[in-house]
Amino acid sequence: MTITLSDQDKNTLRIAAYGAVTLMTAAGAAGKPREIATHGSIALGAATGLIGHVLADYPKVKDLTGKSVAEIAGRVLPALTAAMNLLKQQDPAEAGNFRSAVLIAVETAQMPQGRPSPAAAAMARKITEALDATGAAAADSGTVAEAAAEQDRPELRKAIEEIVDSGFVGVSLRVNDERGKWVGSAGVAELGGAAKPPVNGHVRIGSVTKTFTATVVLQLVAEGRIELDAPAADYLPEFGLDERITVRMLLQHTSGLFNFTGEVYDDGSIVHGIPVPYGTTGKEWVDNRFRTYRPEELVRLALSKPPRFEPGTGWSYSATNYVLARLLIEKVTGHSLAQEMQRLILGPLGLSGTVVPDASPEIPEPYAHAYYRYEDAGEQKTVDITRQNPSWISTGGDMISTTQDLHTFISALLGGKLLPAGLLAEMCTPRPTGIPNMDYGLGVFVLTTDDGGTVISHNGAAVGHAALMYATPDGRKTLTAALNCVDDADLSIAAAFQTAQRRLLNEVFGGGQVDPAQPTG
């Protein structure tokens, strides 16, 4: 394939590649900066083919000298994405060569440090993410790579634009199907800004956390450390759980346990749990959004309330089940959930953009902002709540991820890479929920589309952020999305959220019901 690069294009490639080495030098400055830079540059100089010829001319990057790490990153990371975009448009093989050359240089740059510092490791991860964030704008580099798609999918572009028009601040979408891969975004990343949401930005994924957690429990079942039909009380005797509640019932939402975020009963009555962003406790939640709750505290609050039904006799979506699942994982392994998640899922699949935050309010860059609108003394206020302590929802919905990582996860899960065939089949075996065409397995919804097909799903929302994750049962076709919005106590965005899910599901899978996961997880 013939590839034509302008002088500006070539300069973008050089700035991106050698800028990545500069970033590693700055991040690892506590080591041996000169050696770091030398090793990385030598590695780039060894690149072959077209990319090798382009990188042979060392770029003029004197304007990066003396800059802070943040300033360098602000120029170089978008340039890396822009470089990948312009190469992919002409020759994907050369894009692969460029990506490999940069990653080899990054790895080589860390050699003089011995064991890389946390800062250097974090910077290497950001460089990798920038290389893989095809379609992100590269305004700071002087080259704009607007085309996120590797193909033209106007129906998907129209769908996400309609979602923004319905009231969302922004949306990013990733589709992998028989036509290939498509990624794109619409709207803005920040109120008052002009930049679109990053196509592979970090987002609080809400109830999608449950699918990750259920997978870890089932992996421990496969290891012989947990019995799926054993009483949960056998593992967590300190809570005095009903002996009839099994581990399976926790994952299946058939335990009947009160949801610590509160319950709405069939007669319309409401029993409150902890303060949540919705209903009458919205102002209290926003004022205390950095408070830390421990999982044991949430469970004990739930157990102080009457259950909805006898164990195994009904279905009711309750975050309490998944906080107990977390505590069960930690009890049988002696490790934190984050450690087990890293051992069993994140590490093996290379999910570098996925975080189990516990009580940390931080979210890695890049990200689209989340907002909350509330009334204070008769005045409407809108606040940025991107930073919040997610321990209030805990394993009911606290994780952070990206659309790429969600695609990789659900594709690998349903493709049989994480669970033995028997346990995967149990995970996806539907149990009636009472909702038409929407059943629940163990940590996943099993949907029936309008044309009679089956889709495995779990979506979630986490106050101003939302994530969608759908796949065919074999994991070969996936849809993952990240949305940001202005949330409020009245759940004003809820109808648009349901419509957005349905719009995308119809477009990619041919219709069907949507996952009703509550915005509180």
Side-chain angles (χ1 to χ4, degrees), residues 138-369:
D140 287 339
S141 71
T143 299
V144 178
E146 177 62 27
E150 296 179 358
Q151 56 190 300
D152 186 24
R153 299 285 292 269
E155 75 282 5
L156 297 179
R157 173 65 58 190
K158 181 181 179 183
I160 60 177
E161 289 172 351
E162 288 179 358
I163 289 170
V164 171
D165 291 342
S166 74
F168 282 86
V169 176
V171 57
S172 59
L173 172 67
R174 182 178 301 269
V175 173
N176 287 72
D177 60 14
E178 62 279 358
R179 294 176 59 183
K181 178 180 71 174
W182 190 91
V183 290
S185 64
V188 294
E190 188 172 5
L191 288 177
K196 290 184 176 182
V199 293
N200 200 38
H202 296 86
V203 63
R204 297 188 186 276
I205 64 174
S207 282
V208 185
T209 301
K210 294 180 174 72
T211 307
F212 281 88
T213 305
T215 302
V216 171
V217 171
L218 292 173
Q219 287 171 312
L220 294 175
V221 171
E223 291 181 356
R225 304 172 79 174
I226 294 174
E227 292 184 24
L228 196 53
D229 291 307
D234 288 358
Y235 303 99
L236 299 168
E238 63 270 31
F239 293 111
L241 293 169
D242 188 319
E243 291 283 345
R244 295 172 293 174
I245 297 174
T246 64
V247 175
R248 182 189 300 274
M249 291 178 189
L250 297 181
L251 302 185
Q252 200 175 51
H253 291 302
T254 56
S255 70
L257 291 171
F258 180 88
N259 190 350
F260 61 80
T261 62
E263 293 277 14
V264 179
Y265 291 89
D266 294 339
D267 62 1
S269 61
I270 299 174
V271 177
H272 291 290
I274 62 168
V276 296
Y278 309 104
T280 58
T281 58
K283 173 67 165 57
E284 183 179 356
W285 177 86
V286 79
D287 286 344
N288 295 280
R289 64 187 182 277
F290 295 107
R291 172 182 171 176
T292 296
Y293 290 88
R294 297 315 306 156
E296 296 84 357
E297 176 185 1
L298 300 174
V299 168
R300 294 193 186 282
L301 183 151
L303 294 177
S304 72
K305 308 288 186 180
R308 284 193 71 117
F309 49 77
E310 296 294 306
T313 64
W315 184 87
S316 182
Y317 194 79
S318 174
T320 304
N321 293 312
Y322 276 80
V323 178
L324 281 165
R326 167 190 174 169
L327 293 172
L328 189 157
I329 291 166
E330 294 178 340
K331 175 64 75 69
V332 301
T333 65
H335 302 136
S336 70
L337 174 63
Q339 289 173 309
E340 287 301 295
M341 197 79 74
Q342 182 66 36
R343 177 177 76 90
L344 294 169
I345 300 177
L346 309 188
L349 296 183
L351 304 186
S352 60
T354 301
V355 179
V356 183
D358 193 25
S360 171
E362 305 303 329
I363 181 170
E365 294 182 346
Y367 54 79
H369 291 251

Side-chain angles (χ1 to χ4, degrees), residues 57-73:
D57 293 329
Y58 192 82
K60 297 178 180 179
V61 290
K62 293 181 179 179
D63 56 333
L64 296 181
T65 305
K67 301 289 186 181
S68 68
V69 175
E71 289 172 319
I72 300 171

Side-chain angles (χ1 to χ4, degrees), residues 74-139:
R75 169 115 184 253
V76 172
L77 295 180
L80 285 162
T81 301
M84 287 294 290
N85 278 327
L86 67 89
L87 288 173
K88 279 191 172 185
Q89 290 170 13
Q90 297 197 51
D91 189 345
E94 288 297 349
N97 291 341
F98 177 78
R99 182 181 186 277
S100 297
V102 172
L103 292 181
I104 291 171
V106 166
E107 183 177 351
T108 306
Q110 297 180 75
M111 290 171 53
Q113 304 176 69
R115 183 176 181 179
S117 68
M123 187 55 67
R125 185 177 67 251
K126 288 184 178 181
I127 289 169
T128 303
E129 290 171 352
L131 287 167
D132 294 338
T134 53

Side-chain angles (χ1 to χ4, degrees), residues 1-44:
M1 179 181 292
T2 302
I3 183 168
T4 303
L5 298 174
S6 67
D7 289 342
Q8 183 177 357
D9 290 340
K10 293 177 181 178
N11 192 53
T12 296
L13 265 61
R14 296 177 190 124
I15 290 289
Y18 286 97
V21 172
T22 302
L23 270 176
M24 294 306 299
T25 304
K32 302 175 181 178
R34 184 177 295 278
E35 287 189 44
I36 293 172
T38 300
H39 278 71
S41 296
I42 290 174
L44 288 177

